[in-house]
């Protein structure tokens, strides 16, 4: 699991629920990364499904998640 920390990846937002503020990004290798809306870098707290993004990975609330999510 520690090998998953600090990765710099690109992918596509494959799910996002505005109500619960949770989503998933599928990276270019097919791995799925969960995220919370506070990890969207522009501060909007919402993101479109299908958006192409770049992100890093970090330990958040008992798991490794996508953070610092930005347009690719």
């Amino acid at each position: 699991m520690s090998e998953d920390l600090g990765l710099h990846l690109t992918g596509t937002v494959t799910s996002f629920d505005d109500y619960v503020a949770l989503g998933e990004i599928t990276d270019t290798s097919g791995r799925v990364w969960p995220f919370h809306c506070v990890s969207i870098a522009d501060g909007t707290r919402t993101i479109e499904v299908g958006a192409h993004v770049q992100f890093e990975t970090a330990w958040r609330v008992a798991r490794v998640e996508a953070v610092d999510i930005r347009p690719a």
Side-chain angles (χ1 to χ4, degrees), residues 2-72:
S2 63
E3 64 274 3
D4 292 337
L5 297 174
L7 299 176
H8 299 271
L9 301 167
T10 59
T12 302
V13 177
T14 49
S15 72
F16 186 73
D17 184 324
D18 280 312
Y19 183 74
V20 295
L22 297 173
E24 294 180 329
I25 297 170
T26 301
D27 69 24
T28 55
S29 70
R31 189 157 180 197
V32 176
W33 300 93
F35 71 92
H36 185 270
C37 71
V38 297
S39 294
I40 302 168
D42 67 8
T44 61
R45 304 302 182 246
T46 190
I47 194 164
E48 293 292 321
V49 171
H52 297 285
V53 295
Q54 59 185 5
F55 62 98
E56 296 182 27
T57 58
W59 187 258
R60 297 282 188 268
V61 192
R63 64 183 179 182
V64 178
E65 296 187 6
V67 299
D68 194 28
I69 301 165
R70 302 172 181 275

